Amino acid sequence: MTNIYAIVLAAGQGTRMKSKLYKVLHPVCGKPMVEHVVDNISALNVNRIVTIVGHGAEKVKEQLGEKSEYVLQSEQLGTAHAVMQAESILGSLEGTTLVICGDTPLIQAETMKALLDHHIAQKAKATILTAIAEDPTGYGRVIRDEQGQVAQVVEHKDATPDQRLIKEINTGTYCFDNKALFEALKSVNNNNAQGEYYLPDVIEILKQKGETVAAYTCEDFNETLGVNDRIALSRAEEIMRERINKKHMANGVTIINPSMTHISIDAEIGRDTIIYPGVVIEGKSVIGEDCIIGPNSQISNSKIGNRSVVKHSVVQQSVIGEDTSVGPFAHLRPEAEIGNRVKIGNFVEVKKSTLGDETKVSHLSYIGDAEVGKNVNIGCGSITVNYDGKNKYKTIIEDNVFVGCNSNLVAPVTLRTGSFIAAGSTITEEVPQDSLAIARARQTNKIDYAKKLK
């Protein structure tokens, strides 16, 4: 089997985006465009991936990490010049090389594989991924001969009126015989208005040598969309969102209003879970079966167990067990670990804390930097006072503790098993097992004193 390599073109700044963020790092459904491309290539088990970086090189490398090797294109002198930069890594190798732009996040792995298979079957030196465009304006046209073979690729500005009627366009994605590619690149010149070296010129060079140049037509033109501005970015987001939602619905997830539901491509959702409108599920979130994710909730890089409910709430980098209820209007900040059959009620915030099974924090509470055991009841308005203005401290609440309303637990402090905190207490010392702690001023009534205040 032939070796497969890939070159990802990701050096451009993307001036039409009018952004401080480099073009290929703009996210589509929560993942940067270039990472979509590289992840889809990786699904093909290619031997090597080389990403050509330029503007924002360090940030691109930081995002992709070890998924790719990297070569710097210090000057952006065209697509052929970009591919030339990979010669030091790939130039001497036998095999087939896929060349694809980092701003085409919608091309699926299946389409890339079909392109590669067609290229190998045709014994071609180059194969162009083409598509049929309803409006081909601005695209290079693929001209075929009487036998249906590729005769030439003509840029829109150079096309004759008859050629401009052709709807088959060059998408800018190619397969090449690797050695033929780098040999042909030596003959590419920059004798054009822009003074740049263009990769489509390799096609003409190979044709002049009598080499076979093939074409594979992508069934869905939308897959080939290149994102050059915010309008195209929005379109790519819409297409991918629809694709992702259809996949989940086909797998048994109910999405009440797909057009108002945003799910990351890396998210996993179990069968018979119901997703209500306005939900945003980000990152590598995992949601179990039979869950209800209520309207306008945001789930980010979190795990939710079977049969749990999240309503009108934000869950970030947290874990929720099974049969647990969160919200409405709760906020689970990073490193919240919520057990099974737990109730997190309205206007409750949990941060970097664990809550054991069957614990209840029903409303208007803050639990931060705490270990809370099983079957604990935390009353309305109670908080763990974890910050002294300089350092954070831990609160430990053991099993079967009852914390009355409006209590302040000043960390570091421990409430032992079975203890009871009277409402309105400010606890600063350890409470022994099965003890009642009362820490509040004694009530004093001043008869008729209110009259003086009036």
Side-chain angles (χ1 to χ4, degrees), residues 98-373:
L98 173 71
V99 179
I100 186 168
C101 295
D103 62 358
T104 54
L106 298 173
I107 296 182
Q108 300 183 84
E110 294 82 359
T111 300
M112 296 182 193
K113 185 177 187 305
L115 173 65
L116 286 162
D117 290 346
H118 185 76
H119 173 81
I120 293 168
Q122 294 293 311
K123 296 182 172 58
K125 293 297 182 181
T127 301
I128 307 165
L129 180 66
T130 72
I132 306 302
E134 286 302 313
D135 179 8
T137 304
Y139 290 97
R141 306 303 203 279
V142 177
I143 313 299
R144 294 181 182 261
D145 60 25
E146 294 178 354
Q147 288 74 42
Q149 300 299 313
V150 175
Q152 63 180 135
V153 177
V154 180
E155 294 303 314
H156 177 86
K157 61 181 182 298
D158 299 323
T160 66
D162 285 343
Q163 289 172 335
R164 290 187 179 187
L165 296 175
I166 295 171
K167 292 189 174 183
E168 186 176 16
I169 57 97
N170 175 16
T171 68
T173 296
Y174 308 88
C175 280
F176 294 99
D177 174 275
N178 189 65
K179 284 198 168 181
L181 168 63
F182 285 101
E183 184 62 32
L185 283 170
K186 296 175 183 176
S187 300
V188 175
N189 61 56
N190 63 343
N191 297 330
N192 52 64
Q194 284 72 33
E196 295 187 351
Y197 300 86
Y198 292 129
L199 191 58
D201 290 354
V202 170
I203 302 299
E204 184 61 29
I205 291 167
L206 292 174
K207 289 290 294 181
Q208 290 175 359
K209 289 183 177 182
E211 304 288 6
T212 299
V213 174
Y216 176 80
T217 303
C218 180
E219 293 182 4
D220 183 2
F221 173 75
N222 286 331
E223 279 195 50
T224 69
L225 178 68
V227 177
N228 292 311
D229 56 29
R230 305 292 182 128
I231 298 169
L233 181 67
S234 175
R235 178 63 178 148
E237 178 86 17
E238 178 185 3
I239 293 167
M240 186 166 289
R241 182 177 69 245
E242 181 179 1
R243 182 189 295 173
I244 292 168
N245 290 349
K246 282 183 176 179
K247 179 193 75 172
H248 287 295
M249 289 187 286
N251 290 336
V253 177
T254 295
I255 301 178
I256 302 297
N257 188 340
S259 67
M260 294 184 64
T261 303
H262 298 254
I263 302 175
S264 161
I265 194 169
D266 293 324
E268 300 176 26
I269 306 174
R271 291 184 304 171
D272 294 314
T273 285
I274 301 173
I275 310 292
Y276 280 82
V279 168
V280 178
I281 300 173
E282 300 174 320
K284 297 183 178 180
S285 294
V286 178
I287 299 173
E289 297 184 354
D290 301 293
C291 294
I292 296 175
I293 309 300
N296 304 311
S297 292
Q298 180 184 10
I299 315 295
S300 178
N301 290 299
S302 296
K303 184 175 181 180
I304 299 175
N306 297 334
R307 300 175 301 281
S308 287
V309 177
V310 177
K311 296 181 290 186
H312 296 284
S313 294
V314 176
V315 181
Q316 300 170 295
Q317 299 169 41
S318 295
V319 177
I320 298 171
E322 297 186 341
D323 302 291
T324 287
S325 175
V326 175
F329 311 114
H331 186 184
L332 302 189
R333 291 169 56 192
E335 298 182 59
E337 296 187 19
I338 312 301
N340 302 320
R341 300 175 300 283
V342 172
K343 180 181 179 183
I344 304 293
N346 53 294
F347 303 104
V348 172
E349 181 177 345
V350 181
K351 187 272 292 185
K352 200 176 182 180
S353 298
T354 60
L355 277 67
D357 296 348
E358 299 178 327
T359 283
K360 296 180 178 63
V361 189
S362 294
H363 29 220
L364 299 163
S365 292
Y366 170 68
I367 308 298
D369 298 286
E371 290 182 13
V372 181

Side-chain angles (χ1 to χ4, degrees), residues 369 385-393 411:
D369 298 286
V385 185
N386 61 329
Y387 185 47
D388 67 0
K390 183 178 181 182
N391 298 306
K392 299 283 181 72
Y393 298 95

Side-chain angles (χ1 to χ4, degrees), residues 11 51-55 57 61 70-76 85:
T51 300
I52 312 301
V53 295
H55 292 285
K61 291 179 184 179
Y70 304 93
V71 175
L72 179 67
Q73 185 188 21
S74 55
E75 289 185 275
Q76 280 66 63
Q85 309 311 302

Side-chain angles (χ1 to χ4, degrees), residues 352-356 367-373 376 384 394-398 413 415:
K352 200 176 182 180
S353 298
T354 60
L355 277 67
I367 308 298
D369 298 286
E371 290 182 13
V372 181
V376 171
T384 59
K394 194 168 199 175
T395 298
I396 298 175
I397 304 174
E398 296 182 350
V413 70
L415 313 184

